[in-house]
Amino acid sequence: MKDAPLHLALIGDYNPDVIAHQAIPVALQQAAQALKLSVKVQWLDTDAITATASLHGFDGFWCVPASPYRDTEGALRAIRFAREQRRPFLGTCGGFQHAVLEYARNVLAWADAEHGELVPGAKRAVITPLSCALVEADDTVRLEPYTRIAQAYGSVDIHEGYRCRYGINPEFAHALLEGEMIASGHDAAGDLRAVELLNHPFFVATLFQPERAALKGITPPLAIALLTACQEASA
């Protein structure tokens, strides 16, 4: 194991009953063992993220499922820090949704961008209910070649599980994805299921929950990719 451990922050409000919250620490430890690294994982409650000073000590960030969070602004503050400071970042399910919301507000300067679960009547709800809720569902995902997520999986065709009701609003998808945020994965119906940022060491977000594989003894490729990016950044 590496002498100096990597420090990973989990952005979200821990709930032991949430499957993803059970799985993510397991996924990271499995990935750490595969890479022969030492990793320390710390949960960051969203209502405790009141400033960025406390974020500098982390090598990487994972924004976890089970939103709405207690403090949306706290979650967005941590995501923005990871994006601007070029720290490796992974967002799954609710983390995907909030990564898109942060990008809309702070990169595209859409000050009125909202999450439709929190503000259902918002004129610029960039996150809205999926046409078909993906609760305890499994589906195939086609990844875009040469993206970081495709590199992580070593394939462009994957099969993953969901517990999600919200995704990108198709009305704003083109404007959201014409700059540095790009579509990197779609499901069998052609609906967007993964995004990532260009010109960032590692900033990947998925609507599916790859961490769930860890509870079946399978090390999630994205957990390995996240730790590899952290290791490279801290070298």
Side-chain angles (χ1 to χ4, degrees):
M1 293 288 181
K2 182 182 176 182
D3 292 337
L6 294 174
H7 291 80
L8 269 290
L10 303 185
I11 306 163
D13 309 309
Y14 178 69
N15 181 341
D17 296 327
V18 174
I19 292 175
H21 292 191
Q22 300 168 21
I24 287 173
V26 176
L28 289 170
Q29 289 305 321
Q30 289 175 345
Q33 290 175 1
L35 295 169
K36 295 181 170 56
L37 297 174
S38 176
V39 174
K40 290 189 175 181
V41 176
Q42 181 176 335
W43 286 88
L44 296 183
D45 293 335
T46 58
D47 53 1
I49 308 172
T50 57
T52 60
S54 62
L55 303 177
H56 284 272
F58 293 103
D59 298 298
F61 297 83
W62 188 330
C63 192
V64 308
S67 58
Y69 304 122
R70 288 200 297 265
D71 187 338
T72 298
E73 296 304 318
L76 297 181
R77 186 172 292 114
I79 295 169
R80 182 174 187 174
F81 177 86
R83 179 179 57 79
E84 292 184 341
Q85 299 299 316
R86 299 174 62 78
R87 303 288 173 90
F89 172 89
L90 178 61
T92 55
C93 196
F96 169 100
Q97 299 160 18
H98 287 75
V100 171
L101 179 59
E102 190 280 325
Y103 181 86
R105 287 186 181 178
N106 298 318
V107 177
L108 300 183
W110 296 354
D112 58 343
E114 295 288 355
H115 191 304
E117 185 174 18
L118 300 174
V119 188
K123 291 183 178 179
R124 185 140 36 189
V126 296
I127 302 297
T128 49
L130 297 168
S131 57
C132 182
L134 296 167
V135 179
E136 300 305 330
D138 294 271
D139 198 5
T140 57
V141 179
R142 169 59 65 90
L143 305 176
E144 295 297 329
Y146 312 114
T147 55
R148 289 180 179 84
I149 186 172
Q151 182 181 22
Y153 278 90
S155 174
V156 294
D157 292 301
I158 63 174
H159 193 85
E160 287 288 359
Y162 298 81
R163 183 177 174 82
C164 195
R165 294 184 174 86
Y166 287 81
I168 286 183
N169 184 346
E171 181 181 348
F172 298 109
H174 179 74
L176 281 164
L177 301 171
E178 65 179 0
E180 288 193 1
M181 178 170 281
I182 63 168
S184 54
H186 297 82
D187 69 5
D191 293 325
L192 183 66
R193 295 293 179 255
V195 297
E196 58 187 62
L197 289 183
L198 300 171
N199 303 317
H200 190 286
F202 187 89
F203 193 106
V204 174
T206 71
L207 206 57
F208 53 86
Q209 296 184 1
E211 59 268 19
R212 287 175 166 239
L215 298 180
K216 300 177 182 178
I218 301 169
T219 304
L222 281 175
I224 290 179
L226 176 63
L227 292 189
T228 299
C230 292
Q231 183 183 28
E232 291 172 351
S234 64

